[in-house]
Amino acid sequence: MDAESNSISSQRSGNRRAAPPRPALQEAGSRPYMPPLSSGPRNPSAKCYGDRFIPERSAMDMDLAHYLLTEPRKDKENPAAASPGKEAYRKLLAEKLLNNRTRILAFRNKPPEPENMLTDLRSDAVQAKPAKQRRHIPQSSERTLDAPDLADDYYLNLLDWGSSNVLSIALGSTVYLWDASSGSTSELVTVDDDYGPVTSVSWAPDGRHIAVGLNSSDVQLWDTTSNRLLRTLRGVHELRVGSLAWNNSILTTGGMDGKIVNNDVRIRNNVVQTYHGHEQEVCGLKWSGSGQQLASGGNDNLLHIWDVSMSSSVQSAGRTQWLHRLQDHLAAVKALAWCPFQSNLLASGGGGGDRCIKFWNTHTGACLNSVDTGSQVCALLWNKNERELLSSHGFTKNQLTLWKYPLMVKMAELNGHTSRVLFMAQSPDGCTVASAAADETLRFWNVFGTPEAAPKAAAKASHTGIFNSFNHIR
């Protein structure tokens, strides 16, 4: 079981009431040693020609070679017999007849310079594949905003960034909207104490409508352009709704009652499917990019994979059987992220008793890898443009860590938060990441760099008709 605390002490609450209220979303103040292959000293000026060369025999004078080999030996054997005249005759013979030749073996061609060969090979390799410059990753946040009354609750999901470049965050019983294009902040709704506080927020794919989960178990649907409440889903859950996920016009809700419900927001009888598999609160929900598989994580340390193709099989009273039930985590599973470049790859993160990031093949249910991060894993985000994964953590460092996939080598650690980083959201272009922590600050990080291509407008246009039938609900 996960040991994450969900409460705030009364003393802290009293101190907060005494302090003047803070406005929400305002600016806050060398190579390794290699031993030599030979023990003797090497002459740096000497050239090494690599492999041996075979002498050209047609360029040799064998008689001359025999003379050069035997004449010095005779002189050494009979040193007294050598007269001055004979020595002068030998020198004259060497000068006139032998042309001062002292080498016995002759080569037709000079061996090639190895340095030139290696240089050519290196130049060809550079031209074939130019070296990619390493991306600069800023170590500090670009902007910091105040987020007073942000709940220090591991099981909630209080931050989301919509496709219209508007960030939503729930602070207490109020949902705020921050426009990243203009930097302006607006208040969407403040719910009554009987229904609040807000326990989850999630943008619809069109970037205009937003779902708000409440502590009372209700779910509200809002039009942010007109600040109008479209409808309220009641009776779906018995306890608070801490997780939300969209799949086109289907809003999937996860509650503390352990139920997962698919709601078609276009029709009056919105409940179309119910998934039963978790015994405790559902704190993580994510649909795959194709919309064919749903991943759910709970406080019961379980991770489930649900497939829409199984919705009509093994059914009774609207219940759906899971595709995979994965029990490898040792703590609550909240952090979930589907890989953008491999449709059947899912990353999951465990709480304080587990501290691991695990990778799954959702077709087979096999665990591909597990990495112990050393601290509670609160959220996960994939880089849309590179094979990288970003994780946010709790005690002891409260950091964001960027990993290179699949080696899972740390590329950077981003520090700044002073308490566990509970929530993360990614901008529509994939460049910027927003992180919200229990220190009541919202920070923005340029961690993923500049995207190679702008998002396609066609993808956004395909979701514009989800709520067209709201005026015609029976």
Side-chain angles (χ1 to χ4, degrees):
M1 299 299 294
D2 195 29
E4 282 71 28
S5 173
N6 300 329
S7 63
I8 303 175
S9 67
S10 59
Q11 181 180 358
R12 180 179 175 184
S13 301
N15 295 338
R16 180 174 295 169
R17 297 191 193 97
R22 288 185 293 156
L25 305 187
Q26 299 297 318
E27 294 283 354
S30 72
R31 295 180 64 184
Y33 169 75
M34 295 294 292
L37 297 180
S38 60
S39 58
R42 292 192 58 177
N43 184 4
S45 62
K47 295 182 179 180
C48 179
Y49 297 111
D51 204 354
R52 61 190 178 91
F53 284 82
I54 305 301
E56 182 64 34
R57 295 190 179 276
S58 62
M60 299 180 189
D61 188 339
M62 302 305 295
D63 295 334
L64 177 61
H66 180 268
Y67 170 79
L68 292 176
L69 286 171
T70 57
E71 189 66 20
R73 186 171 60 185
K74 292 179 180 179
D75 293 342
K76 291 181 180 179
E77 292 175 353
N78 303 310
S83 63
K86 187 174 182 179
E87 182 66 23
Y89 173 76
R90 188 185 65 79
K91 292 182 179 180
L92 182 63
L93 181 63
E95 179 182 354
K96 299 299 182 181
L97 181 61
L98 305 179
N99 294 323
N100 289 321
R101 290 173 58 185
T102 59
R103 296 185 61 184
I104 299 176
L105 302 179
F107 299 97
R108 174 173 294 179
N109 297 320
K110 185 179 180 180
E113 294 286 345
E115 292 83 0
N116 295 338
M117 295 175 63
L118 294 176
T119 303
D120 294 341
L121 290 174
R122 293 193 193 101
S123 62
D124 292 342
V126 171
Q127 293 177 0
K129 186 177 181 180
K132 186 176 181 180
Q133 293 183 352
R134 185 175 181 179
R135 186 177 81 253
H136 171 67
I137 303 173
Q139 298 297 302
S140 58
S141 57
E142 289 188 335
R143 177 181 297 206
T144 302
L145 303 179
D146 281 326
D149 298 326
L150 180 68
D152 183 7
D153 195 326
Y154 178 82
Y155 305 100
L156 305 184
N157 292 272
L158 305 179
L159 183 69
D160 196 21
W161 204 327
S163 60
S164 296
N165 207 19
V166 178
L167 185 81
S168 62
I169 185 171
L171 303 178
S173 297
T174 304
V175 177
Y176 292 93
L177 304 179
W178 183 77
D179 192 327
S181 301
S182 62
S184 61
T185 303
S186 61
E187 180 181 324
L188 176 65
V189 59
T190 298
V191 299
D192 296 336
D193 292 340
D194 294 338
Y195 299 97
V198 177
T199 53
S200 56
V201 293
S202 180
W203 284 99
D206 61 2
R208 172 182 174 182
H209 301 88
I210 189 172
V212 179
L214 302 178
N215 190 62
S216 64
S217 78
D218 292 347
V219 178
Q220 297 180 349
L221 300 179
W222 286 82
D223 185 343
T224 59
T225 58
S226 60
N227 276 32
R228 182 168 62 99
L229 176 62
L230 298 178
R231 68 180 298 187
T232 301
L233 308 180
R234 292 188 174 93
V236 178
H237 293 276
E238 300 173 4
L239 299 171
R240 70 177 185 180
V241 180
S243 53
L244 302 167
W246 287 91
N247 186 9
N248 293 323
S249 59
I250 301 297
L251 173 62
T252 304
T253 58
M256 185 180 275
D257 54 9
K259 290 194 301 183
I260 301 171
V261 181
N262 283 344
N263 303 271
D264 192 334
V265 299
R266 300 168 299 180
I267 60 178
R268 180 179 296 275
N269 298 325
N270 48 279
V271 177
V272 292
Q273 288 167 341
T274 301
Y275 300 157
H276 292 270
H278 290 282
E279 300 174 356
Q280 297 188 36
E281 182 170 15
V282 179
C283 51
L285 280 178
K286 282 290 187 301
W287 279 99
S288 63
S290 64
Q292 296 299 308
Q293 291 186 330
L294 172 70
S296 66
N299 190 31
D300 50 8
N301 308 347
L302 295 177
L303 170 63
H304 285 98
I305 306 298
W306 314 85
D307 197 293
V308 295
S309 63
M310 300 179 63
S311 60
S312 59
S313 62
V314 199
Q315 293 309 312
S316 68
R319 297 190 177 187
T320 303
Q321 180 70 18
W322 58 78
L323 176 64
H324 299 295
R325 184 171 191 164
L326 310 172
Q327 307 178 59
D328 292 26
H329 282 290
L330 304 178
V333 184
K334 175 195 173 186
L336 299 171
W338 289 91
C339 179
F341 52 84
Q342 187 173 339
S343 60
N344 64 325
L345 178 60
L346 174 71
S348 63
D354 181 76
R355 305 180 302 275
C356 290
I357 299 176
K358 297 183 184 295
F359 298 90
W360 308 89
N361 181 335
T362 59
H363 289 171
T364 64
C367 183
L368 305 177
N369 191 14
S370 181
V371 179
D372 190 345
T373 66
S375 59
Q376 179 187 56
V377 183
C378 301
L380 293 171
L381 286 175
W382 286 96
N383 187 342
K384 297 179 180 179
N385 308 296
E386 300 286 345
R387 293 177 179 260
E388 299 169 357
L389 181 68
L390 182 68
S391 57
S392 68
H393 299 271
F395 182 81
T396 59
K397 294 183 179 180
N398 306 310
Q399 84 282 13
L400 281 72
T401 303
L402 183 63
W403 307 83
K404 185 65 177 178
Y405 182 83
L407 299 178
M408 291 305 287
V409 177
K410 288 185 182 180
M411 300 179 61
E413 282 194 350
L414 309 180
N415 298 289
H417 285 293
T418 57
S419 187
R420 56 181 180 174
V421 188
L422 294 167
F423 318 109
M424 286 198 303
Q426 191 173 9
S427 62
D429 61 6
C431 297
T432 307
V433 170
S435 62
D439 59 9
E440 298 187 343
T441 62
L442 178 64
R443 294 176 182 267
F444 296 85
W445 312 84
N446 185 18
V447 62
F448 286 149
T450 304
E452 297 179 358
K456 296 182 179 180
K460 180 180 177 181
S462 63
H463 303 295
T464 56
I466 297 177
F467 291 85
N468 289 346
S469 60
F470 257 109
N471 294 330
H472 308 287
I473 295 179
R474 295 182 295 276

